[in-house]
Each structure stands twice: as structure tokens, then as C-alpha cells.
Amino acid sequence: MKTFVFIGLLFIAFNTFAQSKYFSTYYEKSGCKETPRYDATIAYCKLLDKASTLIKYTTFGKSPQGREMPLLILDKNGNFTAETIHKSGNIILLIQAGVHAGEPDGKDAGFLLFRDIGIYKKMTALLDHVTVLFIPIFNVDGHERFSKYNRINQNGPAEMGWRTTADNLNLNRDYMKADAPEMKNWLKLFNRLTPDFFIDCHTTDGADYQYVITYGIENDGNVDTELIKWQNENYLTPITRLMGQQGYPIFPYVTFRNWHDPRSGLISNAAPPMLSQGYTIQRNRPGLLIETHMLKSYKIRVESTYKMIENTMFLLNKEHQLLHRLIAEADQRTAGENFRKTAFPVNFEASDKDSSLIDFLGMEYTIEKSDLSGGEWFKYDNTKPVTFKIPYFNKIKTTEKIILPKAYILSPEWSKIINVLKLHGITMKTIKTPLKIKVQSYKFKNPKWATSSYEGRLPLTSFDMDSITEERIYPLGSVMINMNQPGARIIAYLLEPKASGSLLSWGFFNTVFEQKEYAESYVMETMAREMLVNDASLKKEFEQKKISDSNFANNPRAILNWFYSKTLYWDNRMNIYPVGKIF
Ligand SMILES: [Zn+2]
């Protein structure tokens, strides 16, 4: 009998050993020093799917280079479709890794967590009220630009992918304009599964300090006030405590007032919605940015990411009922009439007033004047951890507010804009007959564009605008975008010209600024003379302009074009925003 028990135990031990070897991740097999390539990543996804009834491997579209974009789902009851997951009432947690493919920590941490829960059946209580969606690599094409020379500051893994997509777009600047096919796929996934909480895994650059993880969660600026409260009190406070107790102190994502220089103090700003966590919160879903610290070893970074996700799942289980209710209420509030009664802030800047002193766990450092570059040379000593008492400027200033209309209206030739709105899950009504309607809109002045390319576009960097009210005829096929929907914040950010990340600022409306008809000089020379004779105030305006603007006074083409602009032949739609606001 004893022999039998012994053999049985031996068998179980051997089996566990064999099993643990069999399900070891690529990262573990490498001694926590390497991350798998795309093919090995997909193979491991399929292995998890095959070995666990709790895990499903699926995809959410193809990349431009033809790679399937992977998605793993972890659910205690095997609910793997949007319909069944929503029906279950679980909180849906979306974890994303490799939006910057040179920062793969989240991929390796996520695999360990899925394996531990889904196969080893550890911590299965974390799935009681939570379903996890996991994108191990978002930027799949960039991931295969694999090299050890992609991240000069980063302490592992041995080789990693590249920051941007194959055509060099940074997906974490693309959440609003959605130029990249990968982002279009992501938005469709987001609309279909409407996750309740989102985690985006990164590795940061910057100064040396003790924190393994700094995080961003949008709790300033333009966020539903009840969600801010929940994020601060029910999420950030306990997770900061838990991570600290477990040996992974965390801190808000930091920008030093003087780059590299912790003693200069910290400053924070609102996350624009072109960034992941800035985007999801505009859809009333808390988004957490995890930035592991690039100077820490890959092993520590993966472990801390694992812990951050595990603790988040623990809290989401605890909070599932409240968070569900708060999200539903935030959606209702955003779609409601009261939402449009107060001016809506759409642009912010960091404020260097109002700071509070905080303790910051840094590393000792010196600053020397470099005899090579002439600049400041920061030398950190990671053997000397030190607590700095420094000012933290965490108040932000609203720089732009707008009055929200009942609806926006747009004619069908702006299909590019309409398509972007649809990608964000915005609903709209197509007009069946031409509509004559009084709208409020904008007339632009002094437009200036960037002088170098940014994310494949030449953005409009500054402009002035006047509000105008006019009667317009919107043709058949125009779309009416009512604001009584949960996506109202996104609509405002996309369509209000002054909003951070507006489609106008990205250059989607550049053609409205272009002069398409010109007057020949021999025509204008005669006509301008007649205009001066017939219109005394025009003459006065002309004389004044010549005095005040010497460039104008010395530019014959500009002078004649100025007279042309005062005729009835001038294009009266130039510089006019085609989007109408209906109140
Ligand atoms: Zn990143």
C-alpha cells in the first residue's frame, strides 16, 4: 500500500514537473531574458487554448503585412463571445501589450498569468466576476522588426520589436484619427466588446529612480466626476498600497520639470485622447497606462506587470457591481441633456502654479557640465536610493471650452470624417432629402501648419476662428450626429476644431483652407481702380493695410488678391468649417 502511494506521488510529481516544463513560456525557458517572436507567440496562444477550457485564442483582424492580430480570452465559464460575456455580467478587462513592440513586458507577464490561472488553476477566484481579454502583441508588424538595437536605454529583453508599425505610425498617437489599419481593427474590437477597464503595457524612458512601475490613469481634465472618484478612492489608493506591500512601489507617470532632473520637481498634464488611456476614459472606461522602468531588469519588469494586473483583477472582482453601475451612469450622463448645459473643456495645459511637496523615491545623482556636448550630464548612482522631497505640480489648466450642440451635421463628401466617426462607434442618421437649416459653425483665420511631418500628417498647429451662424443646405446623404449618445465626448473631440486631437487639427479638413480660383492681374488692375473710386471705406482700409503690413505693401500679387477677395467672385466657402452645429 505504502509503495503504491509512493509511486502515485512520484507519478504526480513527475507529471507536475513535465506539465510545468511543457507550459513554460519562451520567456521562462530563456531564464527571463528573452521574449518570443510573433510565430512563437501565436504558437503559445494556441497551446493555451488547447490545454485550457478557460482560455480561447481568437484574432481581431489582420495587419497590413497580413499577420493575424491575436486575442486571448480568459473566462471561468467558457464565455468567449461578446454576447455571452456581456450576458454573464462580468467586468471585462482588456489588457494590451506591444502597442510599442519594443516594450514587450506585458506580453510575457500576460502569458504567465493566463497560464497560471487557466492551466495551473491558481487564483481562479480572480475570474469570479472578471473576464480578461488579452492582446499579447498589438503592433504585430512592428514586432517583427526584431533586433537587439531597438531600445538603447532598455535593460532587456535580449531582442525586441520596433516602436512603430511597418509604415512608421505610432499606434499610441492614433486613437482618435485611426489612420492605421491596426487601430481600425482595435476600435472595432473595442466597440464589440466594450471593455469596462483597460490596461496598456509599456516601458518608459527617462531618469533613474526606485519605482519599477509608474502609471497613468486619467483623473484630471475632462472625466466623468463619479468615475474620477472611483478611480482615486477605490482603485488607485488600494492598488498603490498593495503594490507597495508586495515590494513594487508605484508612482504616477512622471515628467520632471527639467528632463532627467528629479530635484526640479514633477509636473502632470491631462492625457490627450490620441493616447490609449486618454481615449478610453472619454468613452467612460477607466484606462491604466503601465510604464515599467527601462533601467530595471526584464525579469523585475515582467514580475511587476504581472502583479499590477493580478492586483487590478483582485480589485475589479471586489468592485464589479459598483464599477458596472458607475459606467452605466456615466454613459447615461454623457448622453443626457444636462451634459450639454455646461461648457465642455477640450484642451488643457500643465500649470506651474499650485504645487504640493511630495516624497519621491529617487536615486542619487550628480549633474556635470559635459566637455563633449556642452550640455548637462546626468550621472545616476543606482546603489544610492534616496527620498527627495520635491514639488509636484499636479493641477492642470483648461485652455479651451466649447458649447456643445444638440447635433452636428455634415455633408456626404466628407466621407473620410464620417468613416472615422463610425469607427468610434458613433451612431448617425442619414438625411433622405436635402435639408435647409440654420447652423452655427466657424470661420477660420491665420492657419499655420507644422513644418515637418507628424504621424504621417502635416497638422494644423495654430489658427483663429470666429463663430458664425448661417443658413445652409445639406444635401441628400448628409449625416446628422445627435449628441444624445454615450460617445458624445468623442464626437466633440473629433469635430470641435480647437479640441485636442480634433480631425481639423490633424489636417483632415485642409482643403477648406485652399484658394482654388485666382484673378488675372490684368483683370484686377482695372477692377481694383474702379473699386477704390466707388468705395471710400475700402480705399481707407487699403491705405491702412499698406501702412500696417509692409510685406503686403511690397507684394503686387497679395495686393491684387486682396482686391479679388473683396469682390463677389471670391470663394465664399473658403476657410469655412463644413461641420454645422445645431442647437
Ligand atoms: Zn510605450
Side-chain angles (χ1 to χ4, degrees), residues 443-461:
K443 181 166 187 173
F444 303 114
K445 289 183 295 195
N446 310 318
K448 286 191 182 66
W449 284 267
T451 49
S452 57
S453 177
Y454 180 60
E455 292 305 315
R457 293 183 168 270
L458 276 183
L460 188 61
T461 47

Side-chain angles (χ1 to χ4, degrees), residues 115-227:
R115 190 262 326 262
D116 289 351
I117 302 176
I119 292 178
Y120 296 166
K121 303 293 189 295
K122 293 181 188 165
M123 306 178 289
T124 48
L126 293 178
L127 297 181
D128 283 351
H129 304 288
V130 176
T131 298
V132 189
L133 313 176
F134 174 45
I135 301 170
I137 313 170
F138 181 13
N139 175 15
V140 284
D141 291 347
H143 187 273
E144 291 309 283
R145 186 174 161 183
F146 214 68
S147 161
K148 52 181 158 179
Y149 301 111
N150 283 347
R151 297 276 289 171
I152 193 169
N153 300 322
Q154 199 167 291
N155 186 6
E159 290 182 87
M160 71 286 284
W162 184 247
R163 182 174 179 81
T164 55
T165 61
D167 60 348
N168 220 20
L169 283 177
N170 183 345
L171 289 172
N172 204 24
R173 302 294 179 271
D174 201 34
Y175 280 86
M176 290 301 273
K177 62 184 171 63
D179 279 331
E182 292 92 328
M183 185 53 72
K184 293 181 167 82
N185 293 338
W186 188 95
L187 287 168
K188 286 176 195 159
L189 174 77
F190 194 89
N191 296 337
R192 196 158 50 83
L193 285 149
T194 53
D196 304 293
F197 197 100
F198 170 70
I199 299 179
D200 191 13
C201 303
H202 291 251
T203 305
T204 187
D205 295 328
D208 198 2
Y209 42 72
Q210 296 172 48
Y211 303 103
V212 183
I213 283 183
T214 53
Y215 64 85
I217 194 162
E218 203 40 31
N219 53 13
D220 247 324
N222 205 346
V223 183
D224 183 271
T225 45
E226 292 303 309
L227 284 178

Side-chain angles (χ1 to χ4, degrees), residues 444-448 460-465 497-498 502 504-505 513:
F444 303 114
K445 289 183 295 195
N446 310 318
K448 286 191 182 66
L460 188 61
T461 47
S462 74
F463 59 93
D464 298 314
M465 63 185 196
K498 291 276 186 183
S502 72
L504 182 109
S505 69
F513 297 95

Side-chain angles (χ1 to χ4, degrees), residues 209 211 213-216 240 248-254 266 358-361 390 392:
Y209 42 72
Y211 303 103
I213 283 183
T214 53
Y215 64 85
T240 304
Y248 304 99
I250 62 170
F251 194 79
Y253 182 69
V254 287
L266 299 158
I358 51 129
D359 285 338
F360 182 77
L361 303 179
I390 52 174
Y392 185 19

Side-chain angles (χ1 to χ4, degrees), residues 56 58-60 70-75 79-95 131-135 185-198 283 285 324 327 331:
K56 170 92 181 159
T58 179
T59 59
F60 66 105
L71 177 74
L72 282 173
I73 308 175
L74 177 61
D75 184 280
N79 292 319
F80 298 131
T81 66
E83 205 194 356
T84 53
I85 300 169
H86 284 140
K87 222 176 186 178
S88 74
N90 269 8
I91 284 282
I92 302 176
L93 166 64
L94 172 62
I95 304 163
T131 298
V132 189
L133 313 176
F134 174 45
I135 301 170
N185 293 338
W186 188 95
L187 287 168
K188 286 176 195 159
L189 174 77
F190 194 89
N191 296 337
R192 196 158 50 83
L193 285 149
T194 53
D196 304 293
F197 197 100
F198 170 70
R283 295 191 65 170
R285 271 71 184 161
H324 257 153
I327 287 174
D331 277 353

